[in-house]
């Protein structure tokens, strides 16, 4: 009896010991971090898009050559001078076809480059055009093949003229040596006949050698070398030229010593 009781107690002790060991070796339950999806859906700061600054570069694009009052690489010493304006408008020339100007004086004496008088121009709010044209009665014949350049002096008087604020254009004809309205004798390949775009290139001042503004009180000598113009159509006679700007860009400007430089006629 005693032996059976001792045996039962021994079995119970072994059982309890085994259970204690199992409880101590069971690993504690790991506490996992709470999952989150916030990093994937947080509102990101809005990126500021890059917007290139506006430009006023005309076409065709070409870098400016040099500063004001330059002659370029062309030699003027062997060129003949055909005057258009020196104190007065030369015979055979007219400015009657100018348009959208608030005022125009050919005899102002306050701002002069050389001589006694210069031309004073006040554009209107729209694009004003100072247009020099050869008249039918002029008897002057400026053949394109002989004309090297148009030369003039330009000033804004008391205000500066930015080098992108004005364009100059030389026009011509294949039919007659003088300007006439609705002359359709010159064409440009690929251009629609009734296009409103200018047929002859309108060139801004910085394509003509000005790499800065004309300062107040300064006169700049401008050369328009015809052979350097881009997209110029083929034509036989030079019949006129014009300066174009508007009052918001150039309130008033002055022009003096206007002339064509012409190659000597071959013998």
């Amino acid at each position: 009896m005693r032996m059976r009781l001792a045996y039962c107690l021994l079995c119970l002790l072994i059982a309890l010991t085994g259970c204690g060991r199992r409880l101590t070796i069971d690993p504690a339950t790991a506490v996992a971090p709470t999952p989150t999806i916030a990093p994937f859906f947080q509102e990101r700061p809005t990126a500021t898009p890059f917007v290139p600054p506006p430009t006023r570069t005309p076409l065709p694009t070409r870098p400016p050559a040099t500063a004001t009052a330059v002659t370029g690489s062309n030699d003027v010493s062997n060129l003949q001078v055909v005057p258009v304006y020196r104190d007065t408008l030369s015979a055979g020339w007219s400015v009657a076809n100018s348009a959208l100007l608030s005022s125009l004086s050919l005899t102002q004496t306050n701002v002069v480059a050389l001589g006694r008088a210069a031309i004073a121009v006040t554009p209107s709010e729209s694009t004003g055009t100072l247009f020099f044209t050869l008249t039918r009665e002029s008897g002057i014949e400026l053949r394109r093949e002989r004309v090297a350049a148009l030369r003039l002096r330009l000033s804004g008087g008391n205000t500066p003229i930015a080098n992108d604020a004005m364009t100059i254009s030389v026009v011509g004809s294949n039919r007659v040596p003088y300007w006439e309205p609705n002359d359709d004798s010159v064409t440009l390949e690929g251009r629609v006949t009734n296009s409103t775009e200018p047929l002859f290139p309108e060139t801004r001042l910085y394509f003509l050698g000005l790499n800065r503004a004309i300062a107040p009180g300064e006169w700049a000598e401008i050369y328009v070398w015809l052979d350097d113009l881009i997209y110029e159509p083929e034509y036989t006679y030079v019949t006129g030229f014009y300066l174009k700007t508007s009052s918001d860009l150039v309130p008033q400007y002055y022009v003096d010593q206007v002339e064509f430089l012409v190659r000597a006629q071959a013998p």
Side-chain angles (χ1 to χ4, degrees), residues 63-79:
T66 50
T68 58
V70 294
T71 61
S73 59
N74 298 276
D75 184 8
V76 301
S77 60
N78 297 323
L79 299 176

Side-chain angles (χ1 to χ4, degrees), residues 206-225:
Y206 57 79
F207 286 134
L208 301 175
L210 272 72
N211 58 10
R212 62 174 176 84
I214 302 173
E218 180 182 34
W219 284 91
E221 191 170 48
I222 309 296
Y223 283 80
V224 183
W225 295 101

Side-chain angles (χ1 to χ4, degrees), residues 95-131:
V95 291
N97 296 293
S98 301
L100 300 176
L101 301 180
S102 297
S103 67
L104 172 61
S105 173
L106 300 179
T107 57
Q108 74 82 30
T109 57
N110 295 325
V111 183
V112 178
L114 293 173
R116 302 182 305 274
I119 302 171
V121 185
T122 303
S124 68
E125 293 181 1
S126 300
T127 303
T129 303
L130 173 62
F131 199 175

Side-chain angles (χ1 to χ4, degrees), residues 16 42 45 49 66 86 101 111 118 126 140 175 190 215 234:
L16 291 174
Q42 284 180 345
T66 50
R86 290 180 178 175
L101 301 180
V111 183
S126 300
I140 300 172
R175 183 166 53 231
E234 294 184 3

